[in-house]
Amino acid sequence: MGTFRKQVDRRQGLLLPPSPSDWLPENHLAWFIIDAVEQLDIGTLLDSYRMCGRGEQAYPPRTMLALLIYAYATGTFASRKIAAQVDDSVAFRVIAAGLRPNHRTIARFREAHLDEFHRLFVQVVQLAQEAGLVKMGTVAIDGSKVKANASKHKAMSYDRMLFEEQKLRTEIRKLTQAARDQDRLDDNAFGPDCRGDELPEELGRRKTRLATIQAAKKRLEERKAAEAVAKQAAEAKDAGKEQPKAERVLPAPRDQENFTDTDSRIMPVAGRAFEQSYNAQIAVDAKDQMIVAATVCQTAGDYGQLVPVLDAACSNTATKPRYVLADAGYKVERDLCTIEDRGIDAYVAIGREGKSTRHVSAKSPHTRAMQRKLATKRGRARYRRRKAIVEPVFGWVKRVLGFRAFSLRGLRKVAGEWSLVCLALNLRRMSTKGVAW
């Protein structure tokens, strides 16, 4: 019979208490994130806590922040799963430092500091810049659809809203008349002093549904009107004309509004499917593929997002890049003009890769110039780097971290969570690169 290593009795008590530093290797990601959080300025976050001593004491903010960042960096996003990991995982237990916050505490901490996550993301970008991982020589920009915390089956098109509104009005009118008729019968049968004036339960449900549909219909009309005004203003600006007087614009029959997350939009995703989603945007520095800007928009396409994402990258790093790479979704004449005026050498595709590019009008001189630039050998070689810079980062987010859907609802909350995801990925990337604090 073979011989085996001697093992101890699992129920045997230890003579000396174990040290948490013995539980994890020195190069573990948990230690790196603990040290990184110690370097961050969280003064604004601390100011949100009350100074008086009344009530239960709060959990240490740095501990909660390190716990949340490590959870996102290792693919754990639900607050209940994070709380369970504090009991089950050695790394989570080391970060929690003997504390055991429940899932409600974790969820409240995350939601209370969504705006702060963007400032912390900027600090991490600046730390990476000081460590030499961000050079802002070449920046690639791209967007990807991330599923919203909403079902597409909880949405309704504008023409369906009109139909359902009229249908419910008719049903409510009939039910109300039936209730009045029943009241008269009850008065005749039982006397006028007996109760018989309650509305049917079915009528209450229909009234609530009607109010919900009317509110969604109003939001959709206001949104489409605002989009029409913005489009008219942009067209007038490009043509050098005065903005025309705004006219009332109704939504198209197939325009939709979601009842669960009103800020999300129905967007095409891979496999010719459609989902309630947000369009997550990033700018990635070419040197070590660090994310230098992270924003979220509600449009299915990337149209008009080039300058805002580039502005965010420049603001976060206090440096403007030498080269900017982006695919055909970002091709907008006024954006190309803006970038050229700033002295940045941009390489933005004019058409889809592998497809013949149609003739560009003389009214778009910057687009024509970009077409000529990308036709050169140097232009093609520089633009070819875009895929290798930015697209792997989305692969890490969705495959390595497993982040495929937002946990929160509403544009502001989703933007905060996206900053947290990119912050966690950057710290994980810095740990891999061997950054020392």
Side-chain angles (χ1 to χ4, degrees):
M1 182 176 178
T3 59
F4 305 98
R5 297 186 182 218
K6 184 178 180 181
Q7 64 184 31
V8 299
D9 183 359
R10 294 185 181 88
R11 298 184 181 276
Q12 174 67 45
L14 298 176
L15 180 62
L16 297 174
S19 170
S21 61
D22 297 333
W23 295 349
L24 296 174
E26 292 183 1
N27 61 346
H28 197 277
L29 178 62
W31 294 120
F32 182 85
I33 288 180
I34 290 171
D35 293 339
V37 171
E38 290 296 326
Q39 303 297 318
L40 299 177
D41 178 11
I42 63 169
T44 307
L45 189 150
L46 293 174
D47 290 342
S48 64
Y49 288 85
R50 64 176 183 269
M51 299 299 294
C52 65
R54 291 176 293 181
E56 189 176 356
Q57 288 184 319
Y59 286 90
R62 289 193 189 274
T63 300
M64 294 296 294
L65 184 60
L67 193 64
L68 202 55
I69 292 174
Y70 181 78
Y72 270 75
T74 53
T76 307
F77 313 112
S79 57
R80 282 179 169 81
K81 291 184 178 180
I82 296 174
Q85 288 282 46
V86 175
D87 292 333
D88 300 338
S89 169
V90 172
F92 277 84
R93 185 169 292 187
V94 168
I95 294 173
L99 301 174
R100 294 178 63 188
N102 60 31
H103 69 275
R104 289 189 180 87
T105 301
I106 295 169
R108 283 196 296 265
F109 179 86
R110 177 175 58 185
E111 191 157 344
H113 303 295
L114 287 169
D115 295 330
E116 185 65 19
F117 292 146
H118 175 69
R119 288 188 284 269
L120 296 175
F121 166 75
V122 174
Q123 288 188 47
V124 170
V125 171
Q126 293 170 348
L127 289 174
Q129 195 172 10
E130 292 177 5
L133 300 182
V134 173
K135 293 297 185 181
M136 292 296 282
T138 299
V139 169
I141 295 174
D142 202 3
S144 181
K145 313 296 188 303
V146 179
K147 190 178 182 301
N149 186 4
S151 170
K152 64 180 179 181
H153 302 296
K154 293 295 184 181
M156 187 177 288
S157 62
Y158 187 67
D159 57 349
R160 181 70 182 276
M161 288 181 191
L162 296 175
F163 173 78
E164 290 290 333
E165 182 182 23
Q166 184 60 40
K167 177 183 174 184
L168 288 170
R169 285 182 184 277
T170 303
E171 291 178 353
I172 289 171
R173 187 166 56 251
K174 290 180 179 179
L175 286 169
T176 303
Q177 184 60 44
R180 292 197 190 99
D181 295 341
Q182 186 62 45
D183 285 345
R184 284 196 294 270
L185 293 174
D186 290 342
D187 286 345
N188 294 332
F190 306 110
D193 295 332
C194 295
R195 290 291 301 273
D197 57 346
E198 294 84 2
L199 290 176
E201 182 181 354
E202 188 178 6
L203 178 59
R205 290 199 302 268
R206 278 173 167 77
K207 281 190 172 181
T208 302
R209 181 170 173 78
L210 176 61
T212 302
I213 291 175
Q214 287 175 330
K217 176 169 162 275
K218 182 179 179 182
R219 288 195 305 268
L220 182 56
E221 290 174 347
E222 291 174 349
R223 172 162 63 89
K224 299 308 291 187
E227 289 176 359
V229 170
K231 183 178 180 180
Q232 290 175 358
E235 291 175 350
K237 183 178 179 181
D238 290 343
K241 301 177 181 178
E242 293 185 4
Q243 182 175 346
K245 186 178 180 180
E247 298 180 359
R248 186 168 182 258
V249 177
L250 292 177
R254 296 180 66 85
D255 288 336
Q256 293 189 357
E257 181 77 3
N258 192 272
F259 297 122
T260 308
D261 184 354
T262 58
D263 288 343
S264 66
R265 300 288 182 264
I266 193 79
M267 298 182 183
V269 294
R272 296 184 178 180
F274 289 85
E275 290 286 355
Q276 290 293 143
S277 305
Y278 288 92
N279 190 348
Q281 301 280 321
I282 56 172
V284 179
D285 183 81
K287 185 179 184 301
D288 286 294
Q289 291 176 289
M290 301 293 295
I291 303 173
V292 293
T295 63
V296 177
C297 67
Q298 297 167 286
T299 56
D302 300 323
Y303 184 90
Q305 296 301 314
L306 182 59
V307 171
V309 178
L310 181 59
D311 286 343
C314 294
S315 175
N316 295 343
T317 60
T319 309
K320 70 177 183 180
R322 184 176 179 184
Y323 304 107
V324 172
L325 313 178
D327 62 22
Y330 294 91
K331 182 199 66 177
V332 182
E333 175 69 15
R334 61 176 177 273
D335 287 356
L336 297 180
C337 177
T338 300
I339 292 176
E340 184 175 339
D341 291 342
R342 295 180 183 179
I344 300 174
D345 193 4
Y347 293 82
V348 181
I350 302 305
R352 295 187 63 182
E353 195 170 349
K355 303 288 184 180
S356 58
T357 306
R358 59 186 176 85
H359 177 71
V360 179
S361 170
K363 296 180 179 179
S364 304
H366 294 88
T367 304
R368 296 186 74 177
M370 183 63 66
Q371 186 179 34
R372 291 192 298 270
K373 184 195 293 188
L374 293 176
T376 64
K377 184 177 180 179
R378 178 178 295 180
R380 289 194 301 270
R382 193 171 296 281
Y383 176 75
R384 200 177 295 122
R385 297 185 61 203
R386 184 198 67 84
K387 277 186 178 181
I389 296 171
V390 67
E391 293 190 5
V393 178
F394 277 119
W396 299 336
V397 169
K398 295 186 177 183
R399 292 280 185 173
V400 179
L401 301 189
F403 186 81
R404 293 180 173 274
F406 290 106
S407 302
L408 306 177
R409 295 171 179 170
L411 182 60
R412 185 189 70 84
K413 294 180 180 181
V414 162
E417 188 175 15
W418 183 237
S419 294
L420 177 59
V421 170
C422 294
L423 181 159
L425 182 61
N426 274 354
L427 285 177
R428 181 166 176 159
R429 187 77 177 152
M430 293 167 71
S431 173
T432 304
K433 291 294 181 180
V435 174
W437 303 111

